[in-house]
């Protein structure tokens, strides 16, 4: 249900070559719109909405977006295996991190939380949701949806117990950025790290991600359904799985929700 004419703008000087761009006034979810548009797109395309009314979060949660926050999805026709496509969430997290540093300066206290959250002053500033369609063991269309609380985040009472406190860029850092300038910077960051991934594989992504990781070497808790593992966060492996050193030894966890100790 997008409104406004989807316009694929001509690529400006700062816009990365090879990526399309659609800006919508209003949409239900940019990820949903990504799948509607995917069959007609000629190449990787960013879809941004000034107003997202039914945003989707991880694990079936809702993602609430007041006007002024950033909501955009990159849609890629990858043809890759699901595990390879999933690792692009690290590319997206690096893109958001680097875009915000570029726009706000190196003193912004920003870090990454496994698998794909971006933190500001230890609170959750941004979430990333990967969704895909596929056939025959291959991903046909991959939607990398990014939400950034530029002007406000949800109330603390609206998030699950144990979840990080939501924060906004304006509230924490007093910086006001427009979704349009953030889109260009995130698209540039993604293009940079995506090229690295295409040319050299996951290794440079893994080291860049680890250099920006929150709570590395600290004790954290990983929950998957009813299973819980607690141990020292020792990094990520070459598949992107979380490495935890527990009293039972080293474990690699491919998917989980992560909880930090207070403090
Ligand atoms: O739960 C999370 O942390 C992930 C949130 C992802 C939200 C973004 S906003 C743009 C894109 N469109 C959606 O419907 N969801 C993602």
């Amino acid at each position: 249900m997008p409104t406004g004419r989807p316009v694929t703008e001509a690529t400006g000087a700062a816009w990365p070559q090879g990526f399309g761009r659609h800006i919508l006034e209003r949409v239900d979810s940019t990820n949903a719109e990504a799948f509607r548009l995917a069959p007609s797109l000629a190449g990787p395309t960013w879809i941004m909405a000034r107003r997202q009314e039914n945003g989707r979060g991880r694990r079936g949660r809702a993602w609430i977006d007041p006007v002024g926050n950033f909501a955009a999805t990159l849609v890629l026709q990858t043809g890759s295996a699901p595990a390879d496509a999933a690792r692009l969430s690290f590319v997206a997290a690096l893109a958001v991190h680097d875009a915000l540093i570029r726009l706000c300066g190196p003193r912004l206290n920003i870090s990454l939380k496994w698998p794909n959250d971006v933190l500001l002053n230890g609170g959750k500033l941004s979430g990333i949701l990967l969704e895909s369609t596929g056939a025959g063991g291959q991903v046909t269309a991959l939607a990398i949806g990014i939400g950034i609380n530029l002007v406000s985040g949800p109330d603390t009472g609206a998030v699950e117990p144990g979840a990080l406190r939501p924060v906004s860029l304006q509230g924490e850092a007093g910086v006001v950025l427009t979704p349009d300038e953030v889109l260009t910077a995130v698209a540039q960051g993604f293009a940079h790290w995506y090229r690295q991934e295409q040319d050299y594989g996951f290794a440079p992504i893994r080291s860049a991600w680890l250099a920006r990781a929150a709570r590395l070497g600290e004790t954290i808790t990983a929950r998957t359904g009813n299973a819980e593992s607690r141990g020292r966060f020792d990094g990520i492996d070459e598949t992107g799985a979380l490495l935890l050193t527990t009293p039972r030894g080293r474990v690699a966890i491919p998917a989980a929700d992560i909880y930090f100790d207070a403090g």
Side-chain angles (χ1 to χ4, degrees):
M1 51 75 101
T3 61
R5 196 152 24 117
V7 180
T8 305
E9 297 177 18
T11 49
W15 186 258
Q17 234 186 345
F19 289 78
R21 175 172 41 168
H22 286 201
I23 313 281
L24 302 169
E25 283 310 313
R26 180 167 160 250
V27 79
D28 50 356
S29 150
T30 53
N31 271 29
E33 180 67 1
F35 292 119
R36 289 190 288 262
L37 287 179
S40 62
L41 296 174
T45 303
W46 284 94
I47 297 159
M48 190 186 86
R50 300 199 198 287
R51 187 187 183 100
Q52 176 172 256
E53 296 179 334
N54 199 11
R56 317 205 277 236
R58 293 178 67 217
R59 303 194 188 282
R61 298 172 191 128
W63 181 264
I64 312 292
D65 273 306
V67 170
N69 277 4
F70 177 85
T73 296
L74 173 65
V75 58
L76 293 165
Q77 278 98 343
T78 68
S80 57
D84 294 334
R87 279 196 296 276
L88 293 179
S89 71
F90 296 96
V91 172
L94 285 171
V96 172
H97 177 285
D98 291 9
L100 292 172
I101 292 290
R102 190 174 323 136
L103 293 169
C104 302
R107 294 165 70 103
L108 196 73
N109 178 20
I110 197 149
S111 58
L112 302 179
K113 174 174 179 264
W114 188 89
N116 44 22
D117 288 339
V118 181
L119 312 185
L120 175 60
N121 295 341
K124 178 162 170 169
L125 176 71
S126 165
I128 297 169
L129 174 68
L130 263 66
E131 296 181 297
S132 61
T133 56
Q138 283 195 334
V139 171
T140 316
L142 176 68
I144 305 174
I146 302 174
I148 309 176
N149 302 329
L150 295 181
V151 295
S152 75
D155 292 336
T156 310
V159 299
E160 293 175 354
L164 288 180
R165 112 194 128 93
V167 296
S168 73
L169 186 67
Q170 190 172 343
E172 285 293 305
V175 178
V176 180
L177 297 178
T178 66
D180 292 70
E181 62 189 324
V182 172
L183 177 65
T184 300
V186 169
Q188 284 173 335
F190 191 94
H192 167 77
W193 288 112
Y194 188 50
R195 202 170 313 116
Q196 292 282 308
E197 195 265 348
Q198 301 280 290
D199 291 349
Y200 306 107
F202 188 55
I205 306 304
R206 178 172 173 266
S207 7
W209 189 92
L210 286 170
R212 295 157 178 77
R215 308 280 184 127
L216 199 57
E218 295 185 26
T219 299
I220 63 170
T221 302
R223 269 184 219 137
T224 317
N226 291 331
E228 185 172 297
S229 301
R230 194 168 155 72
R232 192 180 62 219
F233 171 32
D234 277 341
I236 57 175
D237 70 10
E238 63 289 343
T239 69
L242 178 86
L243 294 174
L244 220 53
T245 301
T246 73
R248 288 167 285 110
R250 166 73 69 86
V251 289
I253 300 174
D257 277 330
I258 297 303
Y259 297 88
F260 293 157
D261 291 355

